[in-house]
Amino acid sequence: MSFAETLGNILPSVNAALNSTSALLLGAGFYFIKQRQIEAHRRCMMAAFYVSGLFLICYLIRFSLTGTHRFPGEGAAKLVYLGILFSHMTLAAVTPVLAIRAIYLARKKRIAEHRRLVRYAWPIWMYVSVTGVVVYAMLYHWPHP
């Protein structure tokens, strides 16, 4: 097996781990802001941003090596998978814009605007991180006929 094939086979698991890490960091960031621990919140959210960026790089590499993967299930399972995948992909397209804007507003100390934005951006980002793991599990680990 070539290096590219090996890498293409490993990256889906790496991507799932990165999505899981992002979700954990987002959860920790949420916890810290509720505790008014601003610096811990900032560190978690920036780490989540960098982990998500690394995910995107790894995903693009994996896609370039192995292309798309068809869900092997049928019927209701396939409909559920496609529904999750479509919502995941749609929201994943807007998440970087929302995250970058949120970071910008926080760094400029425009906290009221930051809060208004993250009221929507955080749950979207969390959904994308969690559903990324769900899509991976359904595609690579769910039992199929």
Side-chain angles (χ1 to χ4, degrees):
M1 186 179 296
S2 73
F3 174 75
E5 289 172 320
T6 302
L7 186 60
N9 290 332
I10 292 170
L11 282 176
S13 298
V14 170
N15 288 340
L18 291 170
N19 268 325
S20 297
T21 302
S22 178
L24 291 171
L25 288 165
L26 289 169
F30 184 83
Y31 170 81
F32 286 129
I33 200 61
K34 292 299 181 188
Q35 300 300 311
R36 304 216 186 283
Q37 295 181 30
I38 306 301
E39 184 57 24
H41 166 74
R42 185 191 68 75
R43 287 181 181 185
C44 284
M45 299 310 288
M46 289 308 300
F49 181 75
Y50 293 129
V51 167
S52 293
L54 181 58
F55 160 82
L56 181 57
I57 292 165
C58 290
Y59 175 81
L60 292 172
I61 291 168
R62 200 271 319 143
F63 183 81
S64 71
L65 293 173
T66 65
T68 60
H69 295 261
R70 296 182 60 85
F71 182 73
E74 298 176 1
K78 188 166 189 166
L79 289 176
V80 169
Y81 170 78
L82 291 174
I84 294 169
L85 179 64
F86 179 75
S87 64
H88 169 80
M89 289 174 56
T90 302
L91 294 172
V94 301
T95 298
V97 175
L98 295 173
I100 290 167
R101 179 70 177 162
I103 292 167
Y104 171 81
L105 292 171
R107 287 199 172 167
K108 293 295 182 180
K109 307 282 190 234
R110 293 165 55 182
I111 302 306
E113 292 171 87
H114 173 78
R115 284 183 182 147
R116 279 193 298 273
L117 175 63
V118 299
R119 191 171 296 135
Y120 302 99
W122 186 88
I124 290 171
W125 191 357
M126 179 62 89
Y127 178 84
V128 167
S129 294
V130 170
T131 57
V133 177
V134 171
V135 165
Y136 163 77
M138 290 184 79
L139 194 57
Y140 293 96
H141 295 288
W142 246 252
H144 303 293

